[in-house]
Amino acid sequence: MHIGVPRESDPGQRLVAATPQTVEKLVALGYDVVVETGAGADASIPDDGYVAAGATIGDTDAVWGCDVVVKVDAPTVSEVARMHADATIVARMSPDDDPALVEAMRAAGVIALNLNSVPRISRAQALDVLSTMSNVSGYRGIIEAAEAYAGMFGGQVTAAGSTPPARVFVIGAGVAGLAALGAAGSLGATVRAYDVRSDVAEQIESMGATYVRVDAAAQESADGYASELSDEQEAATQRVYAAESAAADVVVTTALIRGKAPITITAEMVAAMRPGSVIVDLAASGGGNCELTVPGEKIVTENGVTIIGYTDLPGRMPKHTSQLYGTNIVNLMKLLTPGKDGQVVLDLDDVVQRGITVTRAGELLWPPPPVQVSVAPPAPASAPAPAEPAPAVEQKARKGTGVLVAGALTALLVVAAVAFSTASFASHLTVFALAVVVGFYVVTGVTHSLHTPLMAQTNAISGIILVGSLLQIGSTDTVVTVLAVVAATFASINIFGGFSVASRMLAMFRKEA
C-alpha cells in the first residue's frame, strides 16, 4: 500500500504529518510513502530529506490517490472527493462540529480515523495526539509568557542588587499544565499549581512546584477527564483563583472539559492583577478560561495585563511538533499493520481502533461506544453493603492513642537496654541511632524528581549502613572493622550504582549531536 503525506491546505498550518525519521519507520512497515512537493517546507524539512529517507515526491493528485492519507488537520470535502473508495484518511477531526465532512467521507466509502478520539487508556498513549499537542502548548505557552512579561523569570543576585523570581500560577495539572510548570520552573520561576483532581498533587510537587490545596475537589470521570464542579466546589476554587491570580506575575490556564473551556479567570480577577502581569490561556481553542480572552490574539487590558489567547502554539514549534505527531502516526500504523507487510487491517473489536473510526465502507460508526478508563471498576450490584465506618474523630483518636502507646513502649525498651547492658552495647546503640538519623536526613535531602520508589528505599537503607559502617571502621575489634569495611563497600556500590542509573536515564533525554 501507498501512504500519502499532503501539504496542509490551511495556509496558517506549519505542521506536517511525517518527517524523514518517521518516513523511515513507515517504509520499514512495508509501505511506500509519497510526500507532496513542499509538504515540510514550513517545518524546515526539505523534499530532499524525505527522498533520503525512502519516500518519493509527488503532486497533489498522486498523494490523494494513495491507499492511506495522513494529515494534521481534517480534510476538506473537496480533498475527500479526490480519494478512492476503501482508502483510509488519518487526521485530527471534529465529527460533531462538521457533519458535512462526515457525510462526504461516508458517501465516498473511505475509512476515516479520527486521532482526536483516541481512548485515554494506557496502551493508547503512544498514539495520543491530544497529549502531544498539549505538551508542546504548555511549553510554548511559557515561552510566550516570558517574552510578554516585563521582568526575568529567574531571580538574580548581582553587584547592582537583586531581583525576585517571577511567580507563576498554573491552573490544571494535565499534560499541558505539567509541561508549563516544568518549563517555568526550569527558567527559575516560583511555581504554584492547582487542579480540581486532588490526586495529582504528588505529580505537581514532584516537579518542584507547590500544590495549592482546596478542601472541595472534584474527581476524575470515567472517561479520564475531570468531572464538572458542584456549586460548593466552584465557589471554593473561585476564591483560590482570585487570591492566586492577584499575587501572580504569570497565570497559565489549561482547563478543558470535553473540548469546552469553563471560565476560571473572571474580568474582576483580571482587574485585580498587577500591571505587567501575563495570562496565557491554553484553552483558547475551546473559548478560553479567561473571560477576556480573544481566541487567536494577544491583547492588553486597560490595567496593563497581557492576555495571550493563541490557538496555534504547537505550530509555532513546527519542527519538533511534526516529529512528535509523526511518531503518533507511526505508532498507529504499527497497530493497523500487524503483519508488518504494508497492509492495513482494521480490527473493530479493538477498543482503540473502534474508538477512532468515524466511517467505513459507507457506514457511519460515529460516535464510538464509551470506553471505561477509570482504574476503579464499578462495584457489582449484588455486593453487600459495607459496614458502618467509625466516625472520623473516633478513628483519629484511636490512631493517636496507638501511636502514643507504641512510642512509650519503645522508649521503655531503649532505656532498659541501655541501663542493663554493657558500655560497648550502649556505644553501638548510640552509633546506630545516629546513623539512622543522619541517613534519613541525607536521603530525604535529595529532590523527589531524582527518585524512583525502588531507588528511594534502597538509597535510604544504604545511607544508614554507610554512615554506621564508617563510624565503626576505626574499632579495635578486628571482626567489627572487617564487617564495617564490607558494609561500607556494598553500600557504596549501591549508592554509586544509583548515580550511574540516574545518569543513564538523564542521557536518554539529551539532544543527540
Side-chain angles (χ1 to χ4, degrees):
M1 284 187 169
H2 289 74
I3 293 181
V5 183
R7 184 166 189 163
E8 295 298 316
S9 54
D10 182 354
Q13 180 59 273
R14 300 174 62 190
L15 303 179
V16 62
T19 65
Q21 294 89 338
T22 63
V23 164
E24 289 180 355
K25 296 177 181 179
L26 293 174
V27 172
L29 287 174
Y31 292 101
D32 294 322
V33 181
V34 181
V35 180
E36 186 175 353
T37 303
D42 291 337
S44 302
I45 305 174
D47 291 344
D48 291 345
Y50 290 111
V51 173
T56 57
I57 304 299
D59 58 15
T60 303
D61 290 334
V63 169
W64 284 99
C66 289
D67 305 295
V68 181
V69 178
V70 294
K71 285 186 88 272
V72 177
D73 295 330
T76 63
V77 173
S78 60
E79 288 173 335
V80 172
R82 294 172 176 265
M83 303 179 68
H84 62 78
D86 297 328
T88 301
I89 176 69
V90 180
R92 300 182 303 162
M93 307 179 197
S94 299
D96 295 330
D97 299 330
D98 198 348
L101 173 62
V102 174
E103 175 56 26
M105 293 187 296
R106 186 203 63 77
V110 302
I111 299 173
L113 304 181
N114 175 24
L115 290 177
N116 278 343
S117 61
V118 173
R120 307 197 84 181
I121 58 178
S122 297
R123 69 183 184 87
Q125 290 180 353
L127 12 147
D128 188 356
V129 300
L130 291 179
S131 293
T132 293
M133 298 299 176
S134 295
N135 180 46
V136 178
S137 294
Y139 178 87
R140 181 67 190 199
I142 292 298
I143 302 300
E144 297 289 343
E147 188 276 332
Y149 179 52
M152 294 180 288
F153 267 42
Q156 296 285 321
V157 179
T158 69
S162 62
T163 59
R167 178 164 171 158
V168 177
F169 177 52
V170 179
I171 300 176
V175 176
L178 291 174
L181 67 87
S186 67
L187 289 176
T190 298
V191 186
R192 297 169 63 82
Y194 171 73
D195 194 291
V196 295
R197 302 164 299 160
S198 59
D199 56 343
V200 301
E202 185 177 354
Q203 299 177 39
I204 292 172
E205 293 172 347
S206 70
M207 299 187 69
T210 300
Y211 176 63
V212 179
R213 300 187 181 276
V214 179
D215 292 337
Q219 301 297 323
E220 188 174 285
S221 61
D223 59 0
Y225 295 89
S227 58
E228 295 185 7
L229 302 180
S230 65
D231 293 340
E232 178 185 358
Q233 294 166 339
E234 182 69 28
T237 56
Q238 287 295 309
R239 290 192 294 270
V240 170
Y241 298 154
E244 292 291 334
S245 61
D249 298 303
V250 175
V251 176
V252 181
T253 66
T254 68
L256 279 172
I257 300 178
R258 298 172 183 85
K260 304 299 181 182
I263 297 298
T264 58
I265 302 296
T266 63
E268 291 77 11
M269 295 179 192
V270 176
M273 295 177 68
R274 295 188 297 269
S277 302
V278 179
I279 297 174
V280 180
D281 196 337
L282 298 183
S285 61
N289 293 141
C290 178
E291 191 174 1
L292 302 181
T293 294
V294 178
E297 298 183 17
K298 178 171 72 173
I299 65 171
V300 180
T301 64
E302 293 181 356
N303 63 320
V305 177
T306 301
I307 302 176
I308 299 173
Y310 296 149
T311 56
D312 63 341
L313 290 174
R316 291 170 181 257
M317 309 188 80
K319 183 176 182 179
H320 287 158
T321 306
S322 295
Q323 174 62 34
L324 295 172
Y325 184 85
T327 302
N328 290 144
I329 296 289
V330 169
N331 292 329
L332 173 62
M333 297 312 297
K334 287 180 179 179
L335 181 65
L336 297 176
T337 319
K340 297 183 179 181
D341 54 358
Q343 297 295 318
V344 170
V345 179
L346 183 64
D347 180 10
L348 294 182
D349 292 329
D350 177 11
V351 294
V352 176
Q353 298 180 50
R354 178 63 185 89
I356 64 176
T357 305
V358 181
T359 63
R360 186 192 69 164
E363 182 182 4
L364 178 63
L365 300 177
W366 187 265
V371 178
Q372 181 73 24
V373 300
S374 176
V375 295
S382 59
E388 183 81 18
V393 174
E394 182 179 349
Q395 291 182 351
K396 187 174 181 180
R398 290 178 181 177
K399 183 178 180 180
T401 302
V403 171
L404 288 175
V405 172
L409 290 175
T410 301
L412 288 175
L413 289 173
V414 171
V415 171
V418 173
F420 298 101
S421 63
T422 63
S424 61
F425 177 80
S427 175
H428 293 319
L429 181 62
T430 302
V431 170
F432 176 76
L434 289 175
V436 171
V437 173
V438 175
F440 173 80
Y441 282 104
V442 167
V443 174
T444 54
V446 179
T447 179
H448 294 88
S449 59
L450 295 180
H451 282 308
T452 64
L454 178 60
M455 289 176 64
Q457 182 179 3
T458 56
N459 282 346
I461 297 172
S462 298
I464 295 171
I465 294 173
L466 183 59
V467 173
S469 59
L470 289 176
L471 292 175
Q472 291 296 310
I473 285 179
S475 173
T476 56
D477 190 326
T478 304
V479 176
V480 172
T481 301
V482 171
L483 290 176
V485 170
V486 172
T489 300
F490 282 100
S492 299
I493 291 173
N494 186 53
I495 291 175
F496 286 109
F499 277 107
S500 176
V501 171
S503 179
R504 292 180 62 185
M505 292 173 64
L506 292 173
M508 295 170 62
F509 296 93
R510 294 194 183 101
K511 183 178 179 180
E512 296 181 1

